[in-house]
Amino acid sequence: QASQDELKAAYRRLCMLYHPDKHRDPELKTQAERLFNLVHQAYEVLSDPQTRAIYDIYGRRGLEMEGWEVVERKRTAAEIREEFERLQREREERRLQQRTNPKGTISVGIDATDLFDRYDEEYEDVPGSSFPQIEINKMHISQSIEAPLTSTDTAILSGNLSTQNGNGGGSINLALRRVTSAKGWGELEFGAGDLHGPLFGLKIFRNLTPRCFITTNCALQFSSRGVRPGLTTVLARNLDKNTMGYLQWRWGIQSAMNTSIVRDTKTSHFTVAMQLGIPHSFMMVSYQHKFQDEDQTRVKGSLKAGFFGTIVEYGAERKISRHSVLGATVSVGVPQGVSLKIKLNRASQTYFFPVHLTDQLLPSAVFYATVGPLVIYFAMHRLIIKPYLRAQKERELEKQRESTASDILQKKQEAEAAVRLMQESVRRIIEAEEARMGLIVVNAWYGKFVNDNSKKNEKVKVIDVTVPLQCLVKDSKLILTEASKAGLPGFYDPCVGEEKSLKVLYQFRGVLHQVMSADNEALRIPKQSHRIDADG
């Protein structure tokens, strides 16, 4: 928000500080010339309204963006933002043909009922019968990719393979989707498989009002038994900012009517649903609580009751890395028994492992299904995941340090040169401040401070910035804006990629003051709250 007058004043001040003619020493003169040129380049960018708007919004990458040479000079910041976004869209469209959106699911069903429901009396004489038999009884694999054809047309290719107890099959589908307007789209689907025969489908989505939409899906399934038509219609409406209501009607295979209300907020997700249909009718209530922590932990529970029986489910999920979420759910039902469902989401891929433990309601199965995953998770988190993430972070930091090593070295040399060039100016500033009992910076450090005892083995990485800060003092005041302090004259980044702070010990009116400020935090001194209590 600096005005042109403020820019000119800062420019003149730095020019006076770094002007080569003010320094007789050949080495200082050379360093002054380099810093003087940098100041001049910065002023050229900031004094031009167009380049300043580009730099303020996008930084150096905006100035380096191709295509600005055709932009009209008399543009506002908003117009420049639109132009930049247009150039980006054009660049994205050139890569459109190469873009896909792969999604996949792998499900492996495990039968572990022998752990709790053993038929020992029937297999007493069979070798190895003393060990529980755990086997994979079903598998399912599905994958889909999208291929944008134009800005409105997309082709979607998907396929799946399934097997259960030695019998299986698969299918392949091709869908063509066209966005007809801002209010809707349509999709044609063609499929074939070795179990159900050819499939032809049509799906239509339409926004009826800003708060209401409808989806209709028609399908014709051909098989040896003839043609089996199907129709599914969903009507949805925003009941309020966080609540959606749904009405669904399904005719054909497993005809049913379903209504549900879903409320999703920042801290919770609640669903209530009721279905009347053939062969299943049920009521269901579920609730999920979202913790506002770094790992995005969620706990959930649900109750579902119908003609098929009653099922109670509870579980939790947690983010274990940047792109991975791990979850576990315990399902207890009559007559379904007890199952443990483990799910791992990795980017756009899902890995699902339903483990059937028993057909009966056994307390021991419920206990082990609940406690077992918790013990395994915390053990893996402490022994494997946490060390891996820590090592990965260190590798990324090291890679970042290596890639910026030459640039940081240059910044360090420029900062050290600036400090040497500031010495005479700082001496005069201190003399003036002492005469008026004003602001004198006693000591100032910038970088990574270690105050936590749990991190006492970590190395402190700070640099002395007493001289640069004193040089910024004007009329017994020091004002720093909300920006990284690594860019200030005489500063550089001593610990790339790590959290940094500025610690200042200063004297004002003969009294010592001290303050610690975060890297991007604004700072204004002197302040009464910074005063060091003499009794303390």
Side-chain angles (χ1 to χ4, degrees), residues 152 177-187 203-208 213-214:
T152 59
R177 179 182 298 170
R178 165 165 286 188
V179 179
T180 54
S181 68
K183 292 186 176 181
W185 50 264
E187 184 177 291
K203 185 183 291 185
I204 298 174
F205 172 87
R206 181 76 177 176
N207 280 312
L208 302 179
F213 69 85
I214 188 171

Side-chain angles (χ1 to χ4, degrees), residues 90-123:
E90 290 179 355
R91 189 168 54 183
E92 288 296 322
E93 287 174 2
R94 289 196 293 267
R95 296 201 299 257
L96 188 63
Q97 300 298 333
Q98 303 172 357
R99 187 184 302 167
T100 61
N101 183 24
K103 296 179 182 177
T105 301
I106 297 177
S107 177
V108 180
I110 301 173
D111 185 354
T113 55
D114 206 33
L115 289 171
F116 300 95
D117 298 332
R118 300 202 62 192
Y119 298 159
D120 292 340
E121 65 279 2
E122 297 183 14
Y123 301 101

